[in-house]
Amino acid sequence: QPFTMSSSPPTSPEPTKASQSPESIPNTRERSISNGNFRARSTSAATAFQPEQISSQHTELLQKHMQQLFSSVGETLRAEMQLHFNELQFQSDVNSLASKEYENVMEKTDEELDNLKQLRKEFEGVIPFLQEIDEVESEVGEMQRAVKMLDKYTRDLEHQLKPYF
């Protein structure tokens, strides 16, 4: 049928299971039981596996495979444990290196702190000289002002006395 846009559901020539009555659909389990197949199947499965039928070859093969299985599981567990051990060892090594690096930094910091303390002592020894320099500088400034005033006074005096000479 070609595709068309219709609102009605497609019609089917065969009836669907939903349209069939429950009585018309046979129950396969009931049918198996009524035919005797169910009991026959269950007893055939039980009789198919008899421990007496297992040969020594099968036992040896089973033991070999179980031994291989346990060996493989053991190796896997050992490998996993070794992996975790290696990871812990690596972290321990990294921590040791970091600890040594911090110790080196602390030593350098202590050395720098000692150098700063000594520099401060030297600076404290220089402070009185710096104060003297500041005092001398201020006195020199006062002297310069006094010299300027004297210079101005002498010029003014010269101008006043110039007509008399």
Side-chain angles (χ1 to χ4, degrees), residues 9 17 23 41 58 60 92 95 102 121 130 138 140 152 155:
K17 287 187 177 182
E23 293 84 23
R41 285 185 191 154
H58 289 97
E60 290 173 10
S92 175
N95 286 341
Y102 286 131
K121 285 180 184 176
L130 292 175
S138 66
V140 166
K152 183 179 177 194
R155 270 188 261 134

Side-chain angles (χ1 to χ4, degrees), residues 149-161:
M149 286 176 55
L150 282 174
D151 193 34
K152 183 179 177 194
Y153 180 72
T154 54
R155 270 188 261 134
D156 288 344
L157 193 58
E158 238 179 57
H159 283 302
Q160 287 175 0
L161 295 176

Side-chain angles (χ1 to χ4, degrees), residues 4-153:
T4 58
M5 296 289 286
S6 67
S7 61
S8 65
T11 58
S12 172
E14 298 177 21
T16 61
K17 287 187 177 182
S19 64
Q20 294 177 353
S21 67
E23 293 84 23
S24 65
I25 301 173
N27 186 336
T28 55
R29 184 166 188 238
E30 287 178 9
R31 188 175 47 179
S32 305
I33 292 172
S34 65
N35 293 343
N37 290 342
F38 181 72
R39 183 164 298 281
R41 285 185 191 154
S42 65
T43 55
S44 67
T47 57
F49 179 71
Q50 298 276 334
E52 296 86 30
Q53 294 176 353
I54 297 177
S55 69
S56 64
Q57 285 181 334
H58 289 97
T59 306
E60 290 173 10
L61 184 63
L62 181 62
Q63 285 177 347
K64 178 182 172 186
H65 286 302
M66 290 302 289
Q67 200 170 24
Q68 287 176 347
L69 172 72
F70 286 126
S71 175
S72 296
V73 168
E75 287 177 20
T76 303
L77 289 175
R78 266 188 243 102
E80 285 289 323
M81 294 300 288
Q82 187 64 39
L83 174 73
H84 291 295
F85 175 76
N86 290 345
E87 186 175 330
L88 289 173
Q89 186 64 39
F90 173 73
Q91 288 177 351
S92 175
D93 293 345
V94 168
N95 286 341
S96 296
L97 288 174
S99 177
K100 288 177 184 176
E101 187 64 29
Y102 286 131
E103 287 175 9
N104 289 339
V105 168
M106 287 299 294
E107 287 176 10
K108 289 179 182 179
T109 304
D110 289 342
E111 289 173 8
E112 290 300 318
L113 185 61
D114 290 341
N115 289 342
L116 284 174
K117 285 179 182 178
Q118 185 169 349
L119 187 63
R120 183 179 187 124
K121 285 180 184 176
E122 290 174 7
F123 180 70
E124 288 173 355
V126 172
I127 287 178
F129 297 114
L130 292 175
Q131 289 173 344
E132 281 185 41
I133 291 172
D134 287 341
E135 289 174 11
V136 168
E137 189 177 331
S138 66
E139 290 174 5
V140 166
E142 288 178 24
M143 290 176 79
Q144 284 177 341
R145 284 189 290 273
V147 168
K148 282 182 185 178
M149 286 176 55
L150 282 174
D151 193 34
K152 183 179 177 194
Y153 180 72

